[in-house]
Every structure is written in structure tokens, then in C-alpha cells.
Amino acid sequence: MLRIITQRIEAEAELRRIRDRTSTDQIVHKEATVREVLQAVKRQGDRAVLHYTQEFDLTYLTSEQLRVSGSELDAAYQQVSKELLEAIQFARGQIEAFHRQRVPKSWVQFKDDEVVLGKRYTPVDRAGIYIPGGRAAYPSTVLMNAIPAKVAGVPRIAMVTPPASPSQLTGLEATKSELKSSQMAAGISPAAINPAVLVAAQEAGVHEIYRVGGAQAIAALAYGTETIPKVDVITGPGNIYVTLAKKLVYGTVGIDSLAGPSEVLVIADKTANPVYVAADLLAQAEHDPMAAAILVTTDELLAQKVQAEVEWQLRDHPRRLLTEKALAHYGLIVVVESLGVAAELSNEFAPEHLELEVDDPWAMLELIRHAGAIFMGSSTPEAVGDYLAGPNHTLPTSGAARYASALGVETFMKHSSIISYSPTALQKVANAIDVLANAEGLPSHAESVRLRMPKREPGNEGL
């Protein structure tokens, strides 16, 4: 299932294919659908949101059901175990402590002639966070998106997340025409949200939660509806429709990044444990059929052992079919002659997650230039970062780590430049401004400075 490649040229081609796996002609068609959704929500508000939730998610909602009620939030605590609640609270503390160290500080610099320069950092007024649903519930993603916003000081945070569909709740394959009756016959709410997600939101300080997903949720946050507020920044991962929607509303609002399918690249030498490496590759592949799991190793025997161990660990895997699909299409083992070559391939791929399971990971780190998060040594599996180490798990994918970084408090803040010149300081630079402004053909720029210059007394023109 996991192919082993030993030729560098072939490996480079395969890594490019995996990295660019979302760049297909199908995206053009999907983008047209997303544009239609965005425009409809912009014009029709709640009505379009409800329509597309029924159309795409087979979930019937009313306007009153869009926002999760206080009683539902309270009830969520009764539906999670004590162990899960304690784990969420522990993770919250770890993540908050890390992000508090990353809050940028405003500063000013006092120069000669009473010149003052500086930067002032302030949070956005409103943030929207998107929490995916579908194949699994993600309380960890709630914490990773909401906590940096709270630490940044954002006064209003709105969370959107898809409700469970009728088939998820009941096993009924309801058609659109049968939708309402099948939901009623099931005898349970058609708009349920996983209680762990609701608990995580409240633990992170978010109490404004809306049960809507997909492109319509992004549109609602970007433009605002009768029920859902317009925000300034949208963060959080989602499927291709969510990602395209974020791309298209960028400019109307800020976004964190355009998240693609998740990926891990493991660099390992002969000291690596094949059981650990196989488990880490499977931990990535189980996310999604398009998830990528890649091993680059200097040891051919390790490659063979990992290949066999993956098969062994998959025997009774509860997500076996999905995981096998990911490995078949986007799983890969590359055998290289040196760790230097491994680093070169990794830097070209620029993975979302990079594990260094080598004898001296800190020495290896010096060779790494591009990665969303780097996990050092055999005792640091990606899962540590996914859940509670502290650094954010919302990371650049599909090669974007070449220029982008993890989500953080900075995502929810912006800075304003501070500039203060005294009359004396302005006079000293007036001539340079005059020259530059006239060179650019902007005489009023020059005049705005000239008019502020001291007036010469009549008869003293020559002084």
C-alpha cells in the first residue's frame, strides 16, 4: 500500500504531485458554486443560509435554530465525561500559556528633534471561527482558534460549525423531499452539535455559536445576516468549499490561511522505531482520504519495516477504508542517501507537520527552512502538537509553509504606525520631501509641507 521509492527524480515528481493534489480542474466548477452561495447569502441573509444548509447538508433548520441556546450549552456539560472535561481544561491551559507569550507589544521610539515613531497593536472588533464537522468532532480545533482570539483581546467571537445531518444522527438516508418527516420520525433534534465541541467553546470563552457550515457559513460571517454577525477576521479549517469561500471573501474580511488537506512528513534514520513511525503516518492518514503521509529515510531496512508495520496496524483500524484510501493515493516512502538530501526534499515539499525521528534532531533542525510545525525526536509525535503542547495546530498546508506561519494571536490583531514630528524636525526634512514629491508629480504633497514652514519677514528674504 505504501510505495517505496529510491530514485530522487521520481521522488521529487511524486512529492510535487502530492503537494499540489488540490490543484485540479474540479476546483473551477466548485468555485462557481461557491460564488453563487456567497452572492445569495449576501443578498438574502438568513434565508439563503437556511436554504443551502438544507440543500447541501440535508439538515432542515429555522432561523430560531441557527444560534445554539444557553440551555443547550449548559446541557453539553452533562453529556461529556469528567475525563474529557479535564483533558479539555488541561489543553486550554497549555494553549493559553503559550499564546500569552506571543502577544505583540506596542512601542514608541523617541528620536532627536522631538520625533516620535512607533507601532500600536490592537485587536479586531469581531472574529469568526469555523470548526469543521462531518467525519469527526474537533474540540481541539475550537481551542486552537478561540484561545488566540481571546488572548488577543477580541471583544466578540462568533463560532460556526455544521450541525449533525439526519444520517449521522439516525442512519436514515433522507432525501430532500423526505427531510423534515425523517427528522421528526427520528425523535431527536436535527440540529445537534457534538457536546465536546460546545464544551470546548465555552471553556475557551466563546458562547456565541451558530449551527451552520460550508460556504454559507463563511458568507454569513463575511457579510452578516439577520442572525449571524459580520466579522473582521475568519479563521479555521474546512473542506474545499469552505477554503474556496475564504479565498473569495478575503479583502472583505481577513483570513488566517487557505487550509488544504492535512499532511505529515517524517524524516527518519536507522535509529528510528518503525512501530512509532508507522503509527505517526497512520495518525495523519486517518484524517481524510486526501491526507498525505510521507516518510523520507536514509535506511532501506527501516523503510521496509515501516511498510509492513503500517499494514499490521491497519488490521482492525476503525477508519480503515478511509485511511487506506489516503495511503494509496498520498502515502509514500522515499529512501535517500543522506539526511542532507532528506532535508532538501522536505524543504521543497514544505510540510504542514514535520517529524524529525533521527539520532540528533537539533542538528537536523539547522537544515530545515520550511515547515508549519516541527516535532523533535521519537518522543514527540504530531499528536502532542495537535492537542495540547501549546503551539497552534492550524498550520499552512500544500507548500504554503514556504511563506506562511501558524495561526496565532497576531492573526487577530493589526498594528497602526505612530508618527509625530515637531516643527523643527519637519523643517529639516522639508527639502527632501519637496524633491521626492515633485519627482512623483504630486505637487500638493510638497505644498502640504511648504505651507508649514516658518514665514520669512519682509526684507529678510536673503537671510
Side-chain angles (χ1 to χ4, degrees), residues 81-126:
S81 67
K82 179 183 177 183
E83 292 76 14
L84 178 54
L85 175 59
E86 290 175 348
I88 288 172
Q89 291 171 334
F90 177 68
R92 178 199 64 200
Q94 296 284 101
I95 297 164
E96 182 176 337
F98 176 85
H99 284 87
R100 286 203 179 280
Q101 299 178 55
R102 305 303 305 156
V103 179
K105 305 296 183 184
S106 299
W107 59 271
V108 293
Q109 181 182 43
F110 297 91
K111 300 171 73 70
D112 294 340
D113 299 318
E114 300 179 63
V115 171
V116 182
L117 303 175
K119 284 192 175 182
R120 179 171 180 261
Y121 289 88
T122 54
V124 299
D125 290 336
R126 298 171 299 275

Side-chain angles (χ1 to χ4, degrees), residues 238-427:
N239 62 18
I240 186 62
Y241 295 99
V242 170
T243 301
L244 288 173
K246 287 172 67 177
K247 174 184 175 182
L248 293 171
V249 301
Y250 176 67
T252 300
V253 295
I255 63 171
D256 52 347
S257 63
L258 299 175
S262 194
E263 61 209 22
V264 68
L265 189 148
V266 180
I267 295 178
D269 60 15
K270 65 181 181 181
T271 67
N273 186 322
V275 175
Y276 297 169
V277 174
D280 292 353
L281 295 176
L282 289 175
Q284 193 62 54
E286 70 177 354
H287 269 292
D288 183 274
M290 292 189 72
I294 300 161
L295 167 64
V296 181
T297 180
T298 54
D299 188 76
E300 189 164 1
L301 181 58
L302 177 74
Q304 295 168 358
K305 288 180 177 179
V306 169
Q307 186 183 51
E309 185 64 30
V310 165
E311 297 279 357
W312 177 261
Q313 292 186 26
L314 265 174
R315 286 175 309 144
D316 301 314
H317 199 290
R319 296 164 72 88
R320 178 171 179 170
L321 291 178
L322 179 156
T323 306
E324 285 181 337
K325 184 175 181 180
L327 292 174
H329 292 285
Y330 308 113
L332 186 66
I333 297 176
V334 180
V335 180
V336 294
E337 61 267 30
S338 69
L339 290 177
V341 173
E344 291 174 9
L345 292 175
S346 177
N347 286 327
E348 183 64 26
F349 188 77
E352 176 188 18
H353 307 98
L354 172 62
E355 293 189 4
L356 301 181
E357 299 205 23
V358 297
D359 181 52
D360 189 350
W362 292 100
M364 184 78 195
L365 183 62
E366 296 300 314
L367 303 176
I368 302 302
R369 299 194 313 277
H370 310 305
I374 304 170
F375 300 82
M376 309 289 289
S378 62
S379 296
T380 318
E382 180 197 322
V384 173
D386 278 350
Y387 291 112
L388 49 70
N392 211 284
H393 79 196
T394 302
L395 300 164
T397 61
S398 303
R402 291 177 295 107
Y403 57 83
S405 306
L407 183 147
V409 289
E410 305 94 330
T411 308
F412 301 97
M413 303 185 80
K414 64 272 187 308
H415 60 78
S416 303
S417 299
I418 299 172
I419 305 168
S420 176
Y421 266 56
S422 68
T424 300
L426 182 62
Q427 190 171 1

Side-chain angles (χ1 to χ4, degrees), residues 128-208:
I129 61 176
Y130 185 95
I131 306 302
R135 293 184 176 89
Y138 298 101
S140 62
T141 302
V142 177
L143 300 176
M144 293 290 184
N145 281 263
I147 289 173
K150 293 296 289 187
V151 170
V154 179
R156 185 175 183 182
I157 303 173
M159 186 179 107
V160 294
T161 188
S165 69
S167 59
Q168 287 174 309
L169 291 167
T170 68
L172 296 173
E173 295 298 329
T175 64
K176 295 173 187 176
S177 61
E178 298 169 336
L179 184 59
K180 291 177 69 175
S181 60
S182 68
Q183 290 173 356
M184 293 174 64
I188 54 179
S189 168
I193 294 175
N194 187 286
V197 168
L198 297 181
V199 168
Q202 294 174 86
E203 290 295 318
V206 178
H207 302 274
E208 186 176 350

Side-chain angles (χ1 to χ4, degrees), residues 34 37-38 41 45-46 48-50 52-53 56-57 66 128-132 158-163 210-225 228-231 233-235 237-239 241-242 245-246 249 253:
V34 171
V37 172
L38 296 179
V41 173
D46 281 353
V49 169
L50 298 172
Y52 287 115
T53 298
F56 298 140
D57 299 333
L66 278 175
I129 61 176
Y130 185 95
I131 306 302
M159 186 179 107
V160 294
T161 188
Y210 301 91
R211 57 182 111 242
V212 59
Q216 62 269 28
I218 300 301
L221 291 173
Y223 305 124
T225 72
I228 301 174
K230 182 185 186 305
V231 302
V233 172
I234 300 173
T235 70
N239 62 18
Y241 295 99
V242 170
K246 287 172 67 177
V249 301
V253 295

